[in-house]
Amino acid sequence: MSDLLETPPPRPTRKPSKNAGMVRAVFSTSLETSASRMRLAALGFLVLYGVICAKLVYLGFKPETVRHPAAEAVSASRPDILDRNGEVLASDVKVMSVFAEPRRLIDKDEATELLTAVLPDVPSKELRERLGASKKGFVWVKREVTPHQRDEVFHLGLPGVGLIAENKRVYPNGPIGAHVLGFANIDNQGIAGIEKYIDGQGLADLHNLGFGATPDELQPITLSLDIRATHALRDELEKGVTRFKAKAGAAAILDVNTGEVIALASLPDYDPNHPTDENANALDLTHINRMNVGVYEMGSTFKALTISMALDSGKVNLGSRLDARGALSFGRFKIHDYHAQNRALTVPEVFTYSSNIGTARMAMGQGVEKHKAYLRKMGQLTRMRTELPESAEPIYPKNWSELNTMTIAFGHGLAVAPLQAMMAVGALMNGGYLITPTFLKRSQEEAMKNAVQVVKPETSEAMRYLMRLNAEIGTAKRVNVDGYFVGGKTGTAEKVVGGHYSKTRLFTTFMAVAPSDKPKYLFLTIMDEPQGRPEDGGYATAAYNAGFVTGEIIERTGPILGLAPRFEPPHTPFPLLAKLGYGMANVPAAGGHGH
């Protein structure tokens, strides 16, 4: 019995269930699957956070990519503008500006007081109103602060007030070339000139869409201007305006073979670094670009177009004679010559004596419709388009009569932009090809792609011959600069005052080509209301002012432009005319006061 008590009875054995084994197997598999999923999820989160961390590091090194209200307001970059030789005419520099985030300001009155203490030119009341606009997340406090003001604002340590670098447009040459360059506003947007043209090419649209470009990503714009020649031209023009007490003046140099504007100045002008300056405001109507925006009666320089029309038609040649006896009557109107010869004049004499009667008869010989068609072909009756957004529409009679044709023949009754007249005369000098002027650098091959032949080569040579003859013996003698074989034409127009032509208020022009045997550059100077000088006999006509200034410009810019002086005249300067027996020695002498 003791044995029975010490040894417990054996337990009955139970056969394992198939279901229990399956449960254990499923449970074990489930644990393994869950662990695998957890590891996969952890790996996914690790990768995700790794990407986020990498992005944050990237943004840390590229702060300009962060979209912040201040960054949105910063002025965008603009491309550099260069002259034809690579000299910088306009570029961006970085300046610091102060901004505020009204919602983050703790005490707006205190912020106003502290900010106006270090920025005294910021109106306190106006700033308080801007900062009081709590719904705004961003406002400018002051743009373009000085380094000293930047440091003072920084040391204020005001929450909600910050500094940010933005772009400012600078023009290292000040007013030189201002009317071509135009200017940009405080937001670095082009307002006029080439600056506005650049925005019109798509730069402004990209910036508005948020695609701001860095300076390194923008290709510079190369202009046709030569800044050295432009400086010399402006300097001589300024001296001339002062010398002749003119109301205003303008001048330009055009490459007749490419249409490139090499130099241009219009006075009074302005400094594009300070376009709203009180004494030289770019938006003042007296500071317009007179070469491109102003329209004027060009006076006797237009006679070149009339004579070329007659020569090109074949009805007139250099040996033709025109009756210039007495006055030319049309109804109650009479046309007189300033240098009346009271005899029949040859075509060269009509040009060198600047005969109104002779040119009027040539135009009448063509008729009204042919005259209009010729001027339209020469680009004088439609608005001339260049890269400069500013341009002017010509002014001409709606009801064009025979009398209009007679007066327009010698430059009265049709007003055009001076650069537009240069385009037409350029075609008469370069072999007969009308080339639209450009302010961008281009080759002769590029220019000829869109050039239109408007007169015969023989007509072009005849006009160059007449221009040279006029500089030797005619009204353009004052521009006969030694060594450059210059040709020229004067133009004096009476200004319209109160609906009538004024005898005392003149608009003078002078057009010159150099060299006239192988034309390269066309020069034009205009003077608005120049005054006669006692030493000039009181004459205020073109030769004494616009002609004088043009001569000074040619003499000074010739070496800059690479015009090598030739002190021996070319042997056969006009070969086509030489075959017909025309030379510089077989024409009667002429002269006068440069009407």
Side-chain angles (χ1 to χ4, degrees):
M1 178 156 306
S2 61
D3 292 338
L4 293 172
L5 292 171
E6 293 175 2
T7 304
R11 291 183 179 181
T13 58
R14 183 183 297 174
K15 192 174 179 179
S17 169
K18 288 183 179 181
N19 290 337
M22 290 177 64
V23 169
R24 284 196 296 272
V26 170
F27 183 71
S28 175
T29 303
S30 177
L31 288 174
E32 291 176 1
T33 303
S34 297
S36 177
R37 287 177 176 172
M38 290 178 66
R39 285 194 297 272
L40 185 62
L43 181 62
F45 278 112
L46 183 63
V47 171
L48 178 62
Y49 283 116
V51 170
I52 293 173
C53 290
K55 187 67 174 178
L56 289 173
V57 171
Y58 173 77
L59 293 177
F61 284 102
K62 293 280 187 180
E64 67 272 14
T65 62
V66 180
R67 306 309 295 175
H68 182 277
E72 296 281 358
V74 166
S75 53
S77 297
R78 302 182 64 79
D80 286 352
I81 301 177
L82 312 177
D83 88 331
R84 64 186 303 104
N85 301 310
E87 296 294 327
V88 176
L89 304 181
S91 187
D92 281 353
V93 297
K94 290 293 183 183
V95 294
M96 298 302 293
S97 294
V98 183
F99 69 91
E101 297 171 286
R103 289 194 293 259
R104 294 185 54 211
L105 291 173
I106 297 171
D107 188 330
K108 294 173 183 177
D109 291 323
E110 180 189 25
T112 300
E113 184 178 345
L114 293 174
L115 286 170
T116 52
V118 298
L119 304 171
D121 52 343
V122 175
S124 177
K125 182 179 179 181
E126 181 183 320
L127 179 60
R128 179 64 186 81
E129 290 175 354
R130 276 186 281 155
L131 297 182
S134 58
K135 293 182 181 180
K136 289 189 176 182
F138 170 89
V139 294
W140 285 115
V141 175
K142 186 184 178 185
R143 313 284 289 274
E144 301 172 13
V145 297
T146 66
H148 177 68
Q149 290 174 329
R150 173 201 63 195
D151 294 341
E152 287 193 316
V153 170
F154 177 78
H155 287 112
L156 289 177
L158 289 171
V161 174
L163 293 156
I164 191 167
E166 60 173 341
N167 299 299
K168 174 181 171 61
R169 202 62 163 167
V170 294
Y171 304 88
N173 299 290
I176 301 170
H179 282 108
V180 175
L181 294 170
F183 61 96
N185 64 12
I186 198 168
D187 293 316
N188 233 22
Q189 298 169 330
I191 299 300
I194 289 294
E195 292 284 25
K196 188 172 182 179
Y197 163 79
I198 292 171
D199 281 5
Q201 299 306 296
L203 182 66
D205 293 337
L206 286 174
H207 290 157
N208 291 337
L209 292 172
F211 297 102
T214 64
D216 294 337
E217 296 170 334
L218 296 170
Q219 292 296 319
I221 307 297
T222 302
L223 301 189
S224 59
L225 290 187
D226 184 318
I227 193 62
R228 302 166 303 164
T230 303
H231 176 271
L233 175 140
R234 182 185 181 278
D235 188 47
E236 293 300 332
L237 179 65
E238 189 172 38
K239 291 176 185 176
V241 168
T242 302
R243 179 188 182 97
F244 300 106
K245 300 178 181 178
K247 180 179 177 181
I253 304 173
L254 180 74
D255 186 321
V256 298
N257 301 310
T258 65
E260 295 171 296
V261 178
I262 304 299
L264 185 148
S266 178
L267 299 177
D269 56 11
Y270 60 91
D271 185 346
N273 293 297
H274 310 287
T276 58
D277 186 275
E278 183 179 349
N279 298 318
N281 192 322
L283 302 179
D284 189 325
L285 291 179
T286 63
H287 296 114
I288 63 169
N289 177 1
R290 285 172 168 77
M291 294 300 297
N292 209 56
V293 178
V295 290
Y296 310 97
E297 293 185 355
M298 297 298 289
S300 294
T301 52
F302 238 62
K303 290 172 182 171
L305 297 183
T306 306
I307 293 174
S308 67
M309 173 183 65
L311 292 173
D312 208 56
S313 72
K315 291 184 177 181
V316 171
N317 59 47
L318 291 177
S320 300
R321 291 181 177 273
L322 296 109
D323 186 3
R325 294 172 296 176
L328 177 60
S329 299
F330 187 89
R332 61 187 179 88
F333 298 97
K334 291 183 181 293
I335 294 173
H336 300 271
D337 277 349
Y338 191 76
H339 310 294
Q341 301 300 303
N342 293 308
R343 61 179 175 83
L345 301 176
T346 64
V347 170
E349 287 178 320
V350 168
F351 196 74
T352 54
Y353 284 117
S354 197
S355 171
N356 295 337
I357 296 172
T359 48
R361 289 194 184 280
M362 287 188 203
M364 289 173 66
Q366 297 299 306
V368 172
E369 293 308 317
K370 285 186 178 180
H371 188 208
K372 287 173 65 176
Y374 183 78
L375 291 177
R376 181 169 283 106
K377 179 175 70 171
M378 300 300 287
Q380 302 305 290
L381 302 185
T382 56
R383 186 191 299 266
M384 185 185 69
R385 300 289 186 180
T386 67
E387 294 81 12
L388 300 189
E390 305 84 17
S391 63
E393 192 84 30
I395 301 173
Y396 57 88
K398 290 183 178 179
N399 300 313
W400 193 310
S401 67
E402 286 187 4
L403 180 61
N404 294 129
T405 278
M406 294 168 68
T407 60
I408 290 171
F410 52 85
H412 287 263
L414 170 62
V416 299
L419 189 60
Q420 189 170 12
M422 285 188 87
M423 173 180 68
V425 175
L428 302 182
M429 299 296 104
N430 68 12
Y433 294 94
L434 189 72
I435 302 173
T436 302
T438 181
F439 291 90
L440 301 179
K441 188 176 182 180
R442 72 180 174 198
S443 66
Q444 186 171 348
E445 291 72 24
E446 291 170 330
M448 291 304 293
K449 289 178 182 177
N450 296 314
V452 178
Q453 185 147 19
V454 288
V455 297
K456 303 167 189 172
E458 299 91 329
T459 303
S460 174
E461 186 168 300
M463 293 312 301
R464 288 190 280 112
Y465 164 77
L466 293 178
M467 292 278 276
R468 175 58 191 164
L469 186 67
N470 200 38
E472 283 199 340
I473 63 172
T475 57
K477 286 184 288 189
R478 287 174 176 264
V479 79
N480 192 14
V481 181
D482 289 341
Y484 291 113
F485 206 62
V486 179
K489 184 70 188 81
T490 54
T492 302
E494 296 170 351
K495 293 180 68 174
V496 177
V497 180
H500 301 280
Y501 285 106
S502 170
K503 297 289 185 183
T504 59
R505 298 173 68 176
L506 304 178
F507 184 86
T508 64
T509 64
F510 197 97
M511 200 91 73
V513 62
S516 55
D517 60 325
K518 295 180 180 178
K520 177 63 175 172
Y521 297 110
L522 187 67
F523 300 78
L524 173 63
T525 302
I526 62 176
M527 305 288 281
D528 191 354
E529 297 186 24
Q531 304 301 306
R533 302 168 73 237
E535 50 266 54
D536 294 331
Y539 288 109
T541 49
Y544 289 93
N545 41 74
F548 174 84
V549 174
T550 305
E552 297 295 299
I553 290 172
I554 293 172
E555 194 165 9
R556 185 161 170 190
T557 61
I560 296 173
L561 300 174
L563 290 178
R566 297 174 298 171
F567 296 103
E568 291 295 328
H571 180 64
T572 309
F574 308 106
L576 296 177
L577 298 181
K579 293 178 181 179
L580 300 175
Y582 292 103
M584 305 307 294
N586 62 356
V587 178
H593 298 299
H595 185 57

